[in-house]
Amino acid sequence: YVDDTIFLSESDEIIDKHISALKALNFDLTYEGDIDAFLGVQVERSFDKTTGKVSHIKMSQPGLTQTIC
């Protein structure tokens, strides 16, 4: 049983293809939106100035960090 999953790709078409394949196998999937905030995880993307593609992804949990500290 998987409760939450994140798909990352340079191409939405690749993600759509994999989601369609999982649905064809009768997986019950729900689209929850963009990855900007996922389960309290803040996701920041940095882009390469030359190519415009994502060069780095930073994931953090500031709410959890503040609770612990």
Side-chain angles (χ1 to χ4, degrees):
Y1 178 79
V2 176
D3 187 31
D4 297 297
T5 301
I6 299 173
F7 290 94
L8 300 171
S9 174
E10 291 184 6
S11 164
D12 288 341
E13 291 80 23
I14 292 172
I15 293 173
D16 292 340
K17 179 181 175 182
H18 287 284
I19 289 173
S20 294
L22 290 171
K23 285 183 176 182
L25 295 171
N26 294 321
F27 280 84
D28 183 21
L29 303 175
T30 304
Y31 177 70
E32 299 289 337
D34 202 10
I35 192 172
D36 291 336
F38 180 76
L39 297 177
V41 177
Q42 185 177 17
V43 179
E44 299 174 35
R45 290 169 270 200
S46 299
F47 295 88
D48 184 285
K49 293 177 183 176
T50 305
T51 65
K53 293 184 177 183
V54 175
S55 60
H56 294 87
I57 297 174
K58 175 185 173 184
M59 300 173 75
S60 61
Q61 286 185 290
L64 179 61
T65 305
Q66 292 170 1
T67 302
I68 293 171
C69 295

